[in-house]
């Protein structure tokens, strides 16, 4: 079963419009959640982690345990936000303290001028 | 610091050929990971390592082998390449048990014909 679900493969908005990228997770404990971003032909890089409750490049994400969601939001999208966004859940591995990330399938965001 | 580097950047193989992908990190990270990225599938974990000399299977380990002879290097081997292994391969590393952020390499684009 998919641990992390990103229901939208593609999302398009116009510059200046609000954007929300959805992420739902499957875990009954206290989750460690992340958003990673991959700009065209670049490596993945960390955008946000829920534990730090920070805003990066105008993006925020709030953990909603009741809805098991960690949606990524930005009030005014910019063209340079166009990228692939991955939601990721860190879970401990069985029998070890290592843990690993489970990635969603990603949402390709396109911001039109 | 170079961070996480991967060699080669691109490679084309014929079915049945073998090759090794090299991942190197200069951050003294304990944990290293190999992922494959396929359209519509997100990132899937192939193998990972908690330290020098130790490796473990991820979600999609079949057809791959790994070795971690030195802490800074994590090798991914394909013994007999198949077209289904055409993908972009990403290596990542992480400091240790208390830090969940993974740092990614630039990727290796592999095509098997």
């Amino acid at each position: 079963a998919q641990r992390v679900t990103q229901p939208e493969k593609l999302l398009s908005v116009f510059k200046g419009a609000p954007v929300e990228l959805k992420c739902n997770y499957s875990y009954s404990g206290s989750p460690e959640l992340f958003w990673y971003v991959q700009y065209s032909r670049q490596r993945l890089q960390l955008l946000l982690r829920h534990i730090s409750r920070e805003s990066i490049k105008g993006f925020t994400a709030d953990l909603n345990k009741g809805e098991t969601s960690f949606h990524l939001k930005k009030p005014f999208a910019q063209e340079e936000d166009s990228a692939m966004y991955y939601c990721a859940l860190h879970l401990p591995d069985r029998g070890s303290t290592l843990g690993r990330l489970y990635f969603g399938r990603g949402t390709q965001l396109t911001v039109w001028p | 610091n170079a961070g996480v580097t991967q060699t080669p950047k691109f490679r084309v193989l014929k079915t049945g050929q073998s090759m090794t992908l090299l991942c190197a990190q200069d951050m003294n990270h304990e944990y290293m990971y190999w992922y494959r990225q396929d359209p519509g599938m997100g990132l899937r974990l192939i193998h990972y390592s908690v330290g020098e000399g130790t490796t473990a299977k991820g979600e999609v380990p079949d057809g791959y082998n790994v070795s971690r002879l030195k802490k800074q290097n994590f090798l991914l081997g394909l013994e007999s390449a198949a077209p289904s292994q055409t993908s972009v391969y990403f290596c990542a590393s992480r400091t240790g048990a208390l830090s969940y952020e993974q740092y990614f390499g630039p990727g290796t684009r592999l095509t098997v014909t």
Side-chain angles (χ1 to χ4, degrees):
Chain A
Q2 194 77 1
R3 285 282 189 182
V4 179
T5 305
Q6 293 179 250
E8 303 136 331
K9 276 189 186 177
L10 304 170
L11 184 61
S12 294
V13 299
F14 284 102
K15 177 183 171 181
V19 64
E20 181 180 67
L21 290 87
K22 292 184 167 47
C23 171
N24 289 90
Y25 64 91
S26 175
Y27 182 55
S28 56
S30 291
E32 296 284 347
L33 286 153
F34 303 82
W35 277 98
Y36 279 81
V37 61
Q38 186 180 26
Y39 299 102
S40 180
R41 298 202 174 269
Q42 293 186 26
R43 68 184 74 195
L44 271 86
Q45 52 188 285
L46 180 67
L47 179 64
L48 280 180
R49 69 196 85 189
H50 95 272
I51 200 166
S52 60
R53 300 184 66 81
E54 57 199 344
S55 172
I56 302 292
K57 299 185 179 183
F59 284 97
T60 58
D62 290 319
L63 173 61
N64 185 323
K65 287 187 179 180
E67 295 182 358
T68 59
S69 68
F70 187 56
H71 303 328
L72 183 68
K73 300 176 186 178
K74 185 168 182 176
F76 307 103
Q78 303 299 314
E79 289 178 68
E80 55 265 30
D81 296 329
S82 296
M84 178 70 88
Y85 291 81
Y86 290 99
C87 182
L89 169 67
H90 179 271
L91 290 180
D93 233 4
R94 281 194 301 268
S96 84
T97 58
L98 167 60
R100 52 177 163 157
L101 284 176
Y102 291 85
F103 284 87
R105 296 188 176 184
T107 297
Q108 178 68 49
L109 173 66
T110 301
V111 181
W112 300 104
Chain B
N1 287 353
V4 181
T5 58
Q6 291 182 231
T7 309
K9 289 190 168 59
F10 305 94
R11 185 73 186 267
V12 178
L13 286 180
K14 293 186 177 176
T15 298
Q17 287 184 318
S18 63
M19 78 163 294
T20 300
L21 282 68
L22 169 65
C23 175
Q25 51 92 6
D26 60 2
M27 299 176 283
N28 201 35
H29 285 177
E30 289 293 332
Y31 301 159
M32 297 186 75
Y33 305 80
W34 273 109
Y35 295 90
R36 58 179 290 173
Q37 183 186 44
D38 302 291
M41 299 298 292
L43 277 83
R44 292 182 291 171
L45 183 65
I46 305 172
H47 286 281
Y48 59 99
S49 167
V50 301
E52 186 177 317
T54 68
T55 62
K57 293 180 181 180
E59 297 172 68
V60 288
D62 294 341
Y64 305 95
N65 56 72
V66 288
S67 64
R68 184 103 180 264
L69 299 179
K70 291 183 180 179
K71 186 177 182 180
Q72 63 267 35
N73 295 338
F74 194 28
L75 303 175
L76 178 70
L78 286 74
E79 289 185 348
S80 179
S84 60
Q85 294 177 303
T86 293
S87 187
V88 180
Y89 292 85
F90 285 98
C91 176
S93 70
R94 182 183 135 206
T95 54
L98 296 182
S99 172
Y100 303 139
E101 179 181 353
Q102 293 187 15
Y103 294 82
F104 284 82
T108 294
R109 189 173 291 274
L110 175 66
T111 302
V112 183
T113 61

